[in-house]
């Protein structure tokens, strides 16, 4: 097969010169609130494939058509994920997403098998417990930002649970990834470095003390991953998995809070939960674009001649809006619910290995929230919600909601004492009797029986402690143990998640 299919119903534009000549500086449109309109403008101007610059100085081709994206994803022999094939500095996620062939299979197998072994009832109950714990943190307030307080920390805490660490490390990881993704430049840089330290320290700990957890299985796999390889795969799991899952939760909640018919069908079980999630991934996919693929030789895609090594940018959101695949409007739930042909999880050998985990986290997060909070509604009109300024991730900056506040713990009540009545405390709460020489300490005046002479006893001076040290033969002081890197991160970022 020498070329991909053009978008049906459209006239392919004539072959064009390489991307740099007419590249649209797409990075300038990152802050546009209407990315859906941006994709349609590009489609109307260029067809199924558009020459763009994702970042300054990095030209490439953005795939807008559904079939063009699908064919590139499915054919690694013609479209490699290896950035080494790029003509220039090709963008890439790195790790298992940036290699092909036997090396790709070796790195991917431990992840796929480790995630499969981690599933089950134990994981489900753990996700529900963590979701409930987060709701506990704001249920009594009557209002919350569901992104910062719920959707963002939950995926990080669940992954930390898979890693076999305590909840305090999950809160640390959530704080680190939040600061990395949303903090100012200096904080984000420091947090990114500490996320790398987190995974390196985690691998070191599990190598020395393996257990029944995902990281231990990764290290014990027959593929024989070195510590650096294992740390790179864990970092990729955090980098590629957390934000999309956060905004899958956020986008799903927004649709339930703004679409009354959709919410009614979901709550009434007329719309199965997994089918609703497919609907979300068609109309509000948390991933819009993704780098990258590189042609292994000159190819023609959607009527466009593309040279070997020119970067291709996958366009999931544009592909989902392709008229060739749309059977209904954006609000037509029946047209998309249960349709699993979306590209959210990718396709081909590089398809997402954690899709089942992301779905379970999302559906559990929704169920716990809806079951727990009565009267859940948007705090402000949906038109005022702001989207992140990103061409890659599609998600809200905030999702402010209000609900009926849960009563806090009952305050301790004490019986009212009548005026003038003597208060009698239990023996365990009474003030200890004053002691010492002036108050009749043992051996002093206070212990003499009536009529007996008072015997004064001189207090003994404490003996001087025997000198210790090398010259006196005292045991040598043991060397201090090196600080545990994970404990050091906890101390550095504090329990409130601030460095």
């Amino acid at each position: 097969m020498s070329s991909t299919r053009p978008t049906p119903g459209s006239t392919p534009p004539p072959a064009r010169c390489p991307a740099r000549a007419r590249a649209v500086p797409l990075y300038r449109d990152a802050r546009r609130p209407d990315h859906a309109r941006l994709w349609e403008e590009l489609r109307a101007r260029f067809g199924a494939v558009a020459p763009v610059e994702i970042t300054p100085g990095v030209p490439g081709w953005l795939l807008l058509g559904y079939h063009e994206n699908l064919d590139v994803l499915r054919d690694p022999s013609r479209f490699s994920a290896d950035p080494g094939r790029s003509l220039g500095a090709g963008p890439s996620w790195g790790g298992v997403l940036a290699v092909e062939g036997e090396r790709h299979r070796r790195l991917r197998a431990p992840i796929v098998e480790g995630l499969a072994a981690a599933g089950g009832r134990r994981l489900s109950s753990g996700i529900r417990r963590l979701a409930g714990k987060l709701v506990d943190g704001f249920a009594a307030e009557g209002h919350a930002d569901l992104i910062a307080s719920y959707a963002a920390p939950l995926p990080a805490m669940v992954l930390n649970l898979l890693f076999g660490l305590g909840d305090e490390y999950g809160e640390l990881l959530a704080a680190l990834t939040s600061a990395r993704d949303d903090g100012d430049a200096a904080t984000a840089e420091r947090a990114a470095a500490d996320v790398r330290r987190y995974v390196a320290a985690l691998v070191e700990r599990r190598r020395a003390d393996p257990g029944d957890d995902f990281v231990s299985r990764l290290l014990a796999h027959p593929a024989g991953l070195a510590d650096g390889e294992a740390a790179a795969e864990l970092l990729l799991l955090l980098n590629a998995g957390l934000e999309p899952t956060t905004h899958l939760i956020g986008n799903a909640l927004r649709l339930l809070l703004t679409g009354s018919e959709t919410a009614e069908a979901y709550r009434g079980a007329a719309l199965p939960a997994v089918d609703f999630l497919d609907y979300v991934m068609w109309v509000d996919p948390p991933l819009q674009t993704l780098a990258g693929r590189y042609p292994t030789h000159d190819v023609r895609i959607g009527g466009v001649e593309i040279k070997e090594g020119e970067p291709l940018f996958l366009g999931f959101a544009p592909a989902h809006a392709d008229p060739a695949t749309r059977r209904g409007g954006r609000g037509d739930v029946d047209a998309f619910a249960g349709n699993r042909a979306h590209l959210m999880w990718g396709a081909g050998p590089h398809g997402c290995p954690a899709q089942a985990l992301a779905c379970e986290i999302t559906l559990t997060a929704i169920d716990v929230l809806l079951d727990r909070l009565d009267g859940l509604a948007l705090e402000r009109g949906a038109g005022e919600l702001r989207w992140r300024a990103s061409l890659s991730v599609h998600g809200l900056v905030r999702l402010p909601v209000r609900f009926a506040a849960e009563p806090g713990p009952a305050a301790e009540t004490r019986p009212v004492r009548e005026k003038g009545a003597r208060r009698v405390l239990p023996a365990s709460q009474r003030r200890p009797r004053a002691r010492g020489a002036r108050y009749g300490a043992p051996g002093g005046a206070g212990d003499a029986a009536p009529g007996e002479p008072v015997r004064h006893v001189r207090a003994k001076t404490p003996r001087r402690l025997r000198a210790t040290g090398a010259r006196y033969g005292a045991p040598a002081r043991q060397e201090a143990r090196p600080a545990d890197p994970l404990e050091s991160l906890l101390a550095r970022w504090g329990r409130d998640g601030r460095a």
Side-chain angles (χ1 to χ4, degrees):
M1 181 171 167
S2 59
S3 64
T4 57
R5 289 171 283 179
T7 303
S10 66
T11 302
R16 295 191 291 271
C17 54
R20 190 180 298 275
R22 300 174 60 192
V24 176
L26 206 57
Y27 55 88
R28 296 178 183 173
D29 293 308
R31 294 189 176 277
R32 279 183 58 164
D34 56 343
H35 286 164
R37 181 175 295 180
L38 171 63
W39 312 135
E40 295 315 305
E41 291 172 359
L42 291 172
R43 198 190 313 274
R45 182 178 173 186
F46 297 105
V49 182
V52 298
E53 276 190 326
I54 292 287
T55 57
V58 182
W61 300 94
L62 176 63
L63 306 179
L64 302 168
Y66 177 87
H67 294 296
E68 286 71 19
N69 276 278
L70 187 59
D71 287 346
V72 168
L73 285 167
R74 283 177 169 174
D75 194 350
S77 65
R78 292 193 304 133
F79 304 101
S80 174
D82 183 359
R85 292 182 173 272
S86 174
L87 292 177
S92 171
W93 282 98
V96 68
L97 291 182
V99 294
E100 299 287 5
E102 184 56 38
R103 188 181 175 199
H104 172 259
R105 287 187 287 273
R106 173 179 170 268
L107 293 175
R108 181 179 170 90
I111 298 173
V112 173
E113 294 173 25
L115 289 173
R121 187 175 300 174
R122 178 181 170 188
L123 175 62
S124 300
S125 62
I127 297 172
R128 185 165 293 275
R129 177 184 66 81
L130 291 171
K133 182 177 180 179
L134 288 171
V135 175
D136 288 342
F138 55 78
E141 301 296 325
H143 60 87
D145 170 15
L146 292 183
I147 300 298
S149 299
Y150 193 60
L154 182 59
M157 294 171 71
V158 172
L159 279 185
N160 180 81
L161 178 68
L162 288 182
F163 299 160
L165 297 178
D167 287 356
E168 67 273 20
Y169 296 104
E171 292 163 9
L172 166 67
L173 182 58
L176 288 173
T177 52
S178 176
R180 180 197 63 185
D181 299 334
D182 300 314
D184 59 79
T187 301
E189 183 178 358
R190 186 167 63 251
D194 280 344
V195 170
R196 292 191 293 271
R197 293 187 182 97
Y198 169 94
V199 296
L202 175 59
V203 169
E204 180 183 344
R205 179 182 286 193
R206 287 291 171 256
R207 182 71 80 182
D209 184 20
D212 182 18
D213 59 81
F214 174 76
V215 183
S216 297
R217 295 188 192 99
L218 201 69
L219 295 171
H221 193 274
L225 299 186
D227 286 6
E229 290 177 315
E233 298 317 306
L234 291 174
L235 188 61
L236 177 62
L237 197 61
L238 297 178
N239 290 343
L242 292 185
E243 266 198 304
T245 307
T246 287
H247 295 297
L248 182 57
I249 297 171
N251 294 354
L253 289 172
R254 186 193 71 85
L255 287 172
L256 288 175
L257 292 171
T258 57
S260 57
E261 293 183 5
T262 304
E264 184 177 349
Y266 184 88
R267 288 178 180 270
L271 176 61
V274 292
D275 291 353
F276 168 68
L277 214 53
D278 291 323
Y279 168 69
V280 176
M281 287 185 275
W282 273 107
V283 302
D284 259 339
L287 274 180
Q288 300 188 98
T289 63
L290 185 69
R293 294 291 189 272
Y294 308 92
T296 57
H297 55 268
D298 294 358
V299 294
R300 184 177 176 87
I301 308 176
V304 179
E305 297 291 344
I306 298 177
K307 299 294 183 181
E308 177 183 349
E310 290 185 344
L312 302 177
F313 303 107
L314 302 166
F316 298 144
H320 289 179
D322 188 344
T325 60
R326 284 265 175 166
R327 293 181 298 166
R330 180 182 177 85
D332 188 353
V333 179
D334 293 336
F336 301 105
N339 182 350
R340 293 178 176 83
H342 55 76
L343 302 178
M344 173 66 192
W345 309 121
H350 287 277
C352 176
Q355 55 183 280
L357 176 62
C359 286
E360 183 159 12
I361 293 173
T362 301
L363 293 176
T364 303
I366 296 171
D367 287 346
V368 168
L369 199 72
L370 296 183
D371 289 346
R372 182 79 178 270
L373 301 179
D374 293 329
L376 185 65
L378 287 176
E379 185 71 61
R380 297 178 292 185
E384 298 179 31
L385 297 175
R386 288 193 304 116
W387 297 96
R388 290 173 59 90
S390 171
L391 292 170
S392 177
V393 175
H394 175 63
L396 294 168
V397 176
R398 299 179 67 248
L399 184 55
V401 296
R402 52 183 169 79
F403 47 86
E406 288 186 356
E412 182 182 356
T413 56
R414 296 179 179 175
V416 179
R417 183 161 44 99
E418 293 183 12
K419 187 175 181 179
R422 182 170 176 240
R423 183 183 181 196
V424 180
L425 294 174
S428 61
Q429 298 183 23
R430 294 176 193 165
R431 181 180 297 174
R433 183 164 59 95
R435 304 180 71 83
R438 63 180 293 190
Y439 299 105
D447 285 341
E452 291 186 1
V454 177
R455 187 164 62 104
H456 297 279
V457 179
R458 184 177 179 179
K460 294 183 179 180
T461 304
R463 292 188 301 168
R464 180 178 297 177
L465 294 176
R466 184 166 60 90
T468 60
R471 63 180 293 187
Y472 298 101
R477 187 174 62 181
Q478 294 184 354
E479 292 293 331
R481 295 177 60 186
D484 180 273
L486 287 172
E487 292 294 333
S488 298
L489 285 176
L490 272 179
R492 185 181 309 162
W493 284 84
R495 299 288 173 173
D496 58 356
R498 289 194 294 267

